[in-house]
Amino acid sequence: GPCGGTGMCLTRSRGVVSDYAGSGGALAQVLGACASRGTGGLQAALESDGGILRGAAAVALGTSAARSGSGADRGLVSALGDAAGREIMRLVAVIDGNAERAHSLSASIGGPGVLVNHRETGAGGVHLLRRVSTFDAIVVGDQFSDMTVDQILAAASLDGSDTPIFLISSNEDTADAYSDRVTGVISDLDDLSELDAVFEANLTGDRARADDLSRRAAGVLGDLAQSGADIRAALSGLTQPIGHRPDTVTLAALGALASAGTPAQVEAILAVVTDEDRSDAARAAAGRALAGICGRYDVGGDALAGLIAVVLSDSALSVRTAAAQAAGMARLEGGERAGLVGDI
């Protein structure tokens, strides 16, 4: 049958498994959907050095364990946490001879999930573009001592890729001269809206597959937690993506944290609930995660104050309802609860 044939592909040889991470990951996903128990090939893949293959095997083994109710050992749970929390970076190249401006821009856009590579010379920038071909955006300044802006723009678009290219210049004449050769012009560092589309775009290729693996790993951890398995070894990994990853990953991670989270994750989850820039779906899921934690632990007054602020805000009804549910689950004395109800 299909499972037997696929199982033969994931051999016990660690070297063979690691050499075929892409196909091995796909085969592991097939096994996870149909195998009634873990196979030798999946166990070998779980012990491999390749992060993607190891994560795919963990998802397959975890899926089987959740389906059969057989439980999951700490090694499997830890591998699932690693897959859920793996950082997936967006890459931005900043080529600008104005070092102060470039550093300011890099500080503004750099952070969790974004890696900025800066080069102060045109030659250094061109070398960077030839060495790394997976940038999500290229930002080119208007001040260089060794090359012209024309030369750098030509190098940036040489391979015919659709990578967005932005010019950074406060000079209107310069901006007009190059406006037809770039995706957009950044004239004021206080307004980086031109880059919004870059960070909102869906990931593609290997990073999209890694993102989906994170989602599936978090979902499996949620299933294991609901089946009674101990997933404490994965809680750090589950907390990692909720701050800046897409909702597909964030919602799955928050679902697992609702079942198994502890007070150690409250601060990170509360930050999602109270962030008005996050989607209503993510904020509501974070509220439900806090409700689960509040039902199991005493989380303290700071979290309760944050939840009440959301309940009394003009946020979407789904968000306020989830926050109210979390506040209602808090462990309070009778007088404290009466005061809480009065405030609301």
Side-chain angles (χ1 to χ4, degrees):
C3 291
T6 305
M8 293 297 291
C9 296
L10 284 172
T11 71
R12 290 179 174 81
S13 167
R14 183 176 302 182
V16 171
V17 169
S18 63
D19 284 343
Y20 295 95
S23 58
L27 295 172
Q29 187 171 353
V30 172
L31 279 174
C34 64
S36 59
R37 56 184 175 81
T39 67
L42 286 174
Q43 290 292 344
L46 185 65
E47 299 170 5
S48 71
D49 296 328
I52 295 296
L53 180 58
R54 182 171 181 262
V59 169
L61 290 167
T63 299
S64 177
R67 185 168 53 238
S68 65
S70 59
D73 61 32
R74 183 180 178 84
L76 173 56
V77 170
S78 180
L80 285 167
D82 290 343
R86 179 173 292 111
E87 193 68 81
I88 299 174
M89 306 298 293
R90 293 185 187 271
L91 304 179
V92 179
V94 176
I95 308 170
D96 188 6
N98 185 329
E100 181 179 356
R101 181 175 63 184
H103 291 154
S104 178
L105 174 65
S106 299
S108 296
I109 63 177
V114 179
L115 179 64
V116 180
N117 289 269
H118 170 227
R119 296 295 185 272
E120 293 186 10
T121 66
V126 170
H127 176 73
L128 174 66
L129 297 178
R130 290 175 177 172
R131 184 166 55 88
V132 181
S133 59
T134 57
F135 284 110
D136 294 277
I138 301 169
V139 181
V140 178
D142 60 356
Q143 300 177 22
F144 297 97
S145 59
D146 61 335
M147 295 180 67
T148 66
V149 175
D150 294 84
Q151 290 174 312
I152 298 171
L153 290 179
S157 58
L158 184 62
D159 61 357
S161 72
D162 56 358
T163 302
I165 303 171
F166 299 88
L167 176 70
I168 178 170
S169 176
S170 58
N171 186 300
E172 293 185 5
D173 291 336
T174 302
D176 289 340
Y178 294 106
S179 60
D180 61 341
R181 296 180 57 184
V182 296
T183 306
V185 177
I186 301 171
S187 58
D188 184 352
L189 293 186
D190 291 330
D191 179 10
L192 299 178
S193 57
E194 289 283 354
L195 294 171
D196 287 347
V198 172
F199 300 117
E200 293 171 358
N202 293 328
L203 296 170
T204 59
D206 290 342
R207 289 184 299 173
R209 287 186 284 273
D211 214 42
D212 184 62
L213 179 61
S214 293
R215 176 191 61 80
R216 291 189 288 121
V220 169
L221 284 167
D223 293 340
L224 287 171
Q226 291 184 7
S227 71
D230 182 353
I231 68 165
R232 285 175 294 179
L235 292 181
S236 177
L238 283 170
T239 309
Q240 179 70 23
I242 67 175
H244 59 278
R245 298 283 290 280
D247 276 2
T248 52
V249 180
T250 298
L251 296 179
L254 287 169
L257 290 170
S259 299
T262 71
Q265 291 81 52
V266 166
E267 181 178 358
I269 299 173
L270 183 64
V272 178
V273 179
T274 57
D275 187 351
E276 296 181 355
D277 291 332
R278 298 298 295 268
S279 71
D280 292 341
R283 296 180 70 193
R288 292 190 292 271
L290 283 179
I293 296 174
C294 287
R296 295 188 295 271
Y297 302 95
D298 183 354
V299 301
D302 290 343
L304 188 58
L307 289 168
I308 297 305
V310 173
V311 173
L312 300 176
S313 72
D314 59 356
S315 298
L317 178 60
S318 60
V319 176
R320 289 185 285 124
T321 299
Q325 290 171 341
M329 293 296 292
R331 298 184 178 185
L332 302 173
E333 299 296 333
E336 292 176 317
R337 187 169 296 280
L340 170 62
V341 173
D343 289 342
I344 294 176

